[in-house]
Structures are given as structure tokens and as C-alpha cells.
Amino acid sequence: MPSAPPPVSVQFLLVPHADLADDDPDDPSLSPRGLAQAQALAKALRQAPLSGIEVSEFRRTQQTAAPLAARLRLAAARYFSRGEVGEIARRLQQRYRRGQVLMVTDPDMLAPLAAALCRCQVAPIHDQVWRLYRVRPASDVPGQVAPEPLPQP
């Protein structure tokens, strides 16, 4: 009889990219405020036991995660954000079984990605508030999504 897969004890920390500059309409970098937000994120999560950092193909997500990645000496992995959300969630859940994983994404992807990861209902997130969303995938209990404020620079 095959053994059961190990229980999932991963938590995804979803964060929207920081504030954008007006430099490139297709792939903007972070504004000075956004760079300060990225530093504040690094400070806020400096003690987090991260097992991974995921960023999209866009410069804005990479720059948001860069200070924390450097502080923790973790290389950020890239996911393709324009793919099907369910497939992105499935790949992430296969890659990470334990610990906490920071995901930096575009604000319009927060609710769909959180819902796909936790397999639960998530209300649309319409605001551009600088928040962290803790997502606990469903295993033997229903999945959960809990928003938390992030420190302002």
C-alpha cells in the first residue's frame, strides 16, 4: 500500500508590489516611495522563517522582494504571472510543502491567487492598500486568508 503524501504545512505570504514610478508603461520600476516600502517589507519580515520567495517576470515584483531576498540570502524564484491562476497555485503547492513562502504579485492577482491557493472563497481585493495576505492552504481544515497591515516607510 503506498504511503500518504506528507501533510502540507506551508503558508503563503502574498504581497502586492510596492508603489510604481512613471518610467516605463510596460514594466515600471519602483518609485522612491516603493523602494522605501520594499525596505520596510524586508525589515518587517527579517525574522520570518521563509523557505522561498516567488516573484513574477515583472521588475516591480522583483524590486519589491529584492531587499528581503538580500537580507535573508535567498534567491527569488520566478513564476509566470500571465499563466492560468489555478496552474500557478498547483505548481507552487508542489514546490513548497513546508515553511513560509513570500509571493510578490500584482494587486489584481491577490484575490484570485489566494483563492486558488487556499481553495476557499476570497472577496475581490479592490484597494491598493499595502498589506500582507497570509494564505493557509486547505488540508484537513478549510483554507484561510488573513490580511495584515504592513509597516509604512
Side-chain angles (χ1 to χ4, degrees):
M1 174 185 261
S3 63
V8 175
S9 60
V10 67
Q11 184 179 77
F12 293 94
L13 308 177
L14 275 57
V15 175
H17 61 70
D19 191 61
L20 300 178
D22 293 329
D23 58 354
D24 180 346
D26 295 323
D27 192 11
S29 61
L30 297 184
S31 68
R33 179 174 180 254
L35 293 170
Q37 286 175 314
Q39 289 295 334
L41 176 66
K43 186 176 180 183
L45 296 180
R46 71 183 176 272
Q47 300 295 328
L50 292 182
S51 52
I53 297 175
E54 293 278 335
V55 295
S56 75
E57 66 276 19
F58 295 109
R59 182 169 39 166
R60 54 191 172 256
T61 66
Q62 296 163 23
Q63 288 179 330
T64 301
L68 181 61
R71 180 173 278 186
L72 298 178
R73 296 185 178 151
L74 277 174
R78 289 194 187 165
Y79 68 94
F80 182 65
S81 68
R82 292 179 254 181
E84 198 272 314
V85 174
E87 182 62 21
I88 294 169
R90 187 184 66 73
R91 286 184 181 172
L92 291 168
Q93 289 171 325
Q94 286 177 340
R95 185 176 304 151
Y96 301 101
R97 304 292 296 174
R98 300 197 175 290
Q100 293 181 337
V101 179
L102 175 70
M103 282 197 73
V104 183
T105 189
D106 284 339
D108 62 340
M109 286 288 293
L110 287 169
L113 193 51
L117 286 166
C118 76
R119 294 185 210 116
C120 62
Q121 294 289 333
V122 176
I125 300 168
H126 296 295
D127 58 7
Q128 296 289 321
V129 176
W130 183 233
R131 286 191 188 143
L132 175 139
Y133 296 84
R134 288 186 186 272
V135 179
R136 296 172 198 246
S139 55
D140 57 344
V141 296
Q144 298 174 335
V145 178
E148 299 175 12
L150 283 169
Q152 293 297 324

